[in-house]
Amino acid sequence: MLSSVCQKISTAPWTTSRQTLGTKRRHDGGGRKRTVGVYASSSDDVGGDDFGKLLLRSTASVAMFHNGLDKLNDTEGFAQFVVGEHLTFLPDVLDATQWTYVAAGVELVCPALLLSGFFARPAAFALFSTMATAVAFHIDETGTEGFPLAVVPQHQYGFEAALLYAVIFLYLTISGPGKLSAGGD
């Protein structure tokens, strides 16, 4: 019976290749072997979570790239009205314009790294950092707007997109890029 269950699991449609299934056995003290579990050794297989991570990495990276371009398009405006007025908690080691260039650089270089999978975790963390800072900016500018239950006139909270990006990049920092990446998992 156990072998038929193993056979059904190993040929299930969600598996990408036939998995090696077996049973772990131990002696029960009476000289008999007892089955204590079923295991699958499919560590080399690419699964749905890897395709999901690829989709998440590629979508977030491509969508993020324009944020860096936007900052380069109006560096002084971003430096004055965003960094200078709302991000006063940033260390004084750089001025507002330099912080703008740092953010633009992160939002232009790190999506390419994350998309390819090279240095994916550091790239995802850098992107998480810029998006967490963007959340802080939006909350400083508009407040929490009654989050999470208020219906706001513009149909989304000002910090909503930045918050979603931040969570996506934090997830990729923790979980890694998956097996479908140049750097591996």
Side-chain angles (χ1 to χ4, degrees):
M1 172 153 160
L2 183 59
S3 64
S4 67
V5 170
C6 292
Q7 181 67 25
K8 287 180 184 175
I9 292 172
S10 68
T11 58
W14 59 82
T15 59
T16 56
S17 67
R18 187 173 178 90
Q19 297 175 338
T20 305
L21 295 173
T23 57
K24 292 184 179 181
R25 295 183 178 263
R26 66 176 172 91
H27 291 282
D28 65 359
R32 296 180 307 201
K33 290 183 179 178
R34 246 175 89 175
T35 301
V36 293
V38 177
Y39 66 95
S41 59
S42 60
S43 61
D44 294 334
D45 291 342
V46 174
D49 60 329
D50 294 305
F51 286 108
K53 286 179 182 181
L54 175 63
L55 180 63
L56 195 60
R57 277 187 6 247
S58 57
T59 304
S61 293
V62 170
M64 177 53 55
F65 191 78
H66 93 277
N67 285 296
L69 293 176
D70 191 47
K71 286 173 183 60
L72 290 180
N73 189 47
D74 186 15
T75 305
E76 290 304 317
F78 188 86
Q80 180 181 355
F81 297 112
V82 176
V83 179
E85 290 182 16
H86 298 282
L87 303 179
T88 56
F89 60 86
L90 291 173
D92 290 336
V93 294
L94 301 175
D95 65 28
T97 302
Q98 291 168 324
W99 277 117
T100 301
Y101 282 118
V102 168
V106 166
E107 293 171 358
L108 292 171
V109 173
C110 290
L113 292 172
L114 186 59
L115 183 61
S116 70
F118 283 119
F119 302 106
R121 287 179 197 249
F125 183 74
L127 289 164
F128 163 73
S129 299
T130 61
M131 289 300 98
T133 305
V135 170
F137 156 72
H138 286 290
I139 290 175
D140 187 56
E141 183 178 52
T142 62
T144 58
E145 303 174 279
F147 176 80
L149 300 175
V151 177
V152 292
Q154 64 275 21
H155 305 290
Q156 72 176 26
Y157 301 108
F159 60 89
E160 192 170 322
L163 179 64
L164 291 172
Y165 274 124
V167 170
I168 288 168
F169 294 132
L170 181 60
Y171 167 75
L172 291 169
T173 299
I174 295 167
S175 71
K179 294 175 186 153
L180 295 173
S181 65
D185 196 16

